Amino acid sequence: MAILKLSLMSLLNRKATVVLTIIAIAVSVTLLLGVDKLRDQARTGFANTISGSDMIIGARSGSIQLLLYSVFRIGSATNNITWQSYLDLAADPRVKWSIPLSMGDSHHGFRVLGTTGQYFEHYRYGGKQKLAFAEGKAFDDVFDVVIGADVAKTLGYGIGAAVVVQHGIGAVGFVKHEDKPFRVSGILRRTGTPVDRTVHITLKGIEAMHIDWQTGAMATGRITSADAIRRMDLPTDTITAILVGLKSRTTAFSFQRHVNDYKKEPLLGVLPGLALQELWSLMSTVDKTLGAIAAFVVVSGLLGMTTMILAGLDGRRREMAILRSVGARPVHVFGLLVTEATILTLVGSLGGVALLYLGLFLARPLAAEMLGLNLIIGLPSPRDVGILGLVVGAGFFAGLFPAFKVYRQSLADGMMTRL
Amino acid sequence: MANIAIRMQGVRFRWRPQDPIVLDIPEFQVAKGEKIFIKGPSGSGKTSLLNLLAGVARPEAGDIDISGHRITAFSGRQGDTFRADHIGFIFQMFNLLPYLSMLNNVTLACLFSDVRRQRALGRAPSLDAEASRLLQHLELDVSGLASRPVSLLSMGQQQRVAVARSLIGGPDLVIADEPTSALDADARQSFLDLLFREIAETGSTLLFVSHDAGLADSFDRSLAIADFNMAETER
């Protein structure tokens, strides 16, 4: 107790270096906890991107590629699925529902997804949450468009806004389907998933978009009117992927085998959970690297503290001699320095936690707006407490080094240090 | 035995086995309550003597008794406790911990010693009260100086705070290591007067080491280290 009080008084007497050391530790702890928290939330958010679908089917490629283009809307399919195959598979007795997905176009950098009303019925994300409309409704007409929350926000679209769909993918498309009068019929509520950045239209709309276009260029002279298109029967030839819900999950493997052995064309069926895990394990290198960097920053913070304590030791020989003269044992002097290191790390860690929460509160609106990441601010998790415990433990051990030096020194100096 | 404060017999000491012997004291005694002046130029083995008396260094031969306790038989831990309980120190300068208040610098002596804490509490209702009393006796303006960082006190004031610390809880022995060397002549004499007055009150023995022979007259007895140290000294 006496030692604790002396340590505190001694630290308070060296405010400038002590405050800087504490800030260094606090910042490193904030980084460590922050990276851990972001990692955790990214992992959760990642796993929450799709739920409720039992299988994703696409043309045969890699499971990660299929997951990327169908769910994350990144990259593109190498091949398509014929409509006939879709009908065959959708009619399988094991299938409860199926959502056809057709991709390949974009609108101001947002992916355009052709699908059916089934999408709004069966697509699930997060904890099996259904897509909900912030405004408007699902599509009714060939030219109806349902946009995600980010699309609406970025482009400033409201219900009824005209949408010009570009051919191809990219923010700056060079050919635009400007002739087709697509209108926003509904805006989806924010999901924190790629759905927010998707422009949804009907499968028929996808076909309509491409009428009058041949081999990527607009046919001259012959422009079909919107009403004429509405009256046309526009059969879908190919789609990109299918999301499937099964009647019973126990049939997942047999259905997967059925898909993978499909005779008429080479298909690939993946279980979303497994594919997500596979993808996450690819990302885990980045994830681990970030964690390691954060841990090293903490180590450097603690090294800084040890340096600070060591650098101050010569100037404190007198202090140690006085303490020894009033009966402090070498072990007290040892304890004094270890206590100092522990106090510094403890206060630094608590400061780090405070800084983290401050940061989270400030970053929350930004993260939601810019990343679609819904930061959950809760009490420190047992894992956080464990990390803090480790940091303080490391601080204690870092303090052993100068403490041992002083211990040796105070034994050798005795009390009659000459200055 | 009861009236002997310090007795050293056949003490031989060197810092490391390969070093020459710096202290060789066949016999040295200080009576209880005695105020002894020891003239010790640097290199005379003064530091070694003080470390031996403090119990932080050990002789390779011989016995040292303080107040009838054989400190050479103590373990390190017993030695530290004994020092805390029985000996007060005043150093040449920088006696105070800069991060403690004036009062806390005085009561620091009771932090590691129950004996001195109890004795101090026997004289005053609290340690702070006892510290204030001592400081006032040493003619320090406690209420005026208490709030000031001790590093801003004058050297003379700092040394008087050190005296108060060495005396709180009435230790048997006070060892002063050139406590006046940083003071000017006037301050030196008034410091000595105050020290003697307080030593007389607590009845402690005073071992005062200095190279300033001019002070020796005020003491009961005056010796040079060379008088009782048979070792060949380098300087």
Side-chain angles (χ1 to χ4, degrees), chain B residues 22-218:
Chain B
V22 287
L23 285 180
D24 180 359
I25 305 175
E27 177 75 30
F28 174 66
Q29 280 196 17
V30 179
K32 200 170 173 195
E34 194 177 9
K35 296 193 290 284
I36 185 164
F37 179 88
I38 294 180
K39 185 169 184 302
S42 52
S44 62
K46 184 192 76 170
T47 303
S48 309
L49 178 68
L50 294 181
N51 272 310
L52 284 178
L53 291 175
V56 294
R58 276 161 190 280
E60 61 182 44
D63 296 318
I64 302 172
D65 300 87
I66 294 180
S67 303
H69 297 271
R70 177 140 304 174
I71 66 164
T72 39
F74 283 153
S75 68
R77 187 194 175 102
Q78 286 171 315
D80 291 326
T81 308
F82 182 83
R83 179 168 67 253
D85 290 345
H86 296 274
I87 309 176
F89 284 91
I90 309 163
F91 297 118
Q92 191 170 3
M93 55 172 80
F94 308 119
N95 266 292
L96 308 182
L97 294 186
Y99 51 83
L100 293 182
S101 68
M102 191 167 80
L103 286 180
N104 283 341
N105 259 296
V106 176
T107 57
L108 183 68
C110 298
L111 197 60
F112 298 97
S113 169
D114 277 332
V115 174
R116 287 177 71 178
R117 186 185 308 130
Q118 291 313 323
R119 250 188 252 154
L121 288 175
R123 288 167 159 258
S126 72
L127 289 181
D128 280 356
E130 173 65 359
S132 307
R133 190 189 66 80
L134 280 166
L135 290 169
Q136 250 142 19
H137 272 221
L138 291 160
E139 294 175 5
L140 282 167
D141 171 17
V142 177
S143 51
L145 298 173
S147 58
R148 208 186 276 200
V150 290
S151 51
L152 293 185
L153 298 178
S154 75
M155 197 54 81
Q157 288 169 331
Q158 290 190 27
Q159 291 305 79
R160 277 182 276 162
V161 175
V163 170
R165 181 173 66 214
S166 73
L167 288 173
I168 192 168
D172 300 340
L173 174 64
V174 172
I175 295 177
D177 178 11
E178 306 207 25
T180 55
S181 64
L183 305 180
D184 56 47
D186 285 351
R188 201 168 295 173
Q189 197 50 53
S190 72
F191 174 85
L192 270 190
D193 292 345
L194 288 170
L195 176 62
F196 284 173
R197 199 172 78 192
E198 288 311 304
I199 286 279
E201 192 160 306
T202 54
S204 306
T205 307
L206 174 66
L207 188 137
F208 191 104
V209 184
S210 176
H211 58 267
D212 182 2
L215 298 169
D217 292 346
S218 328

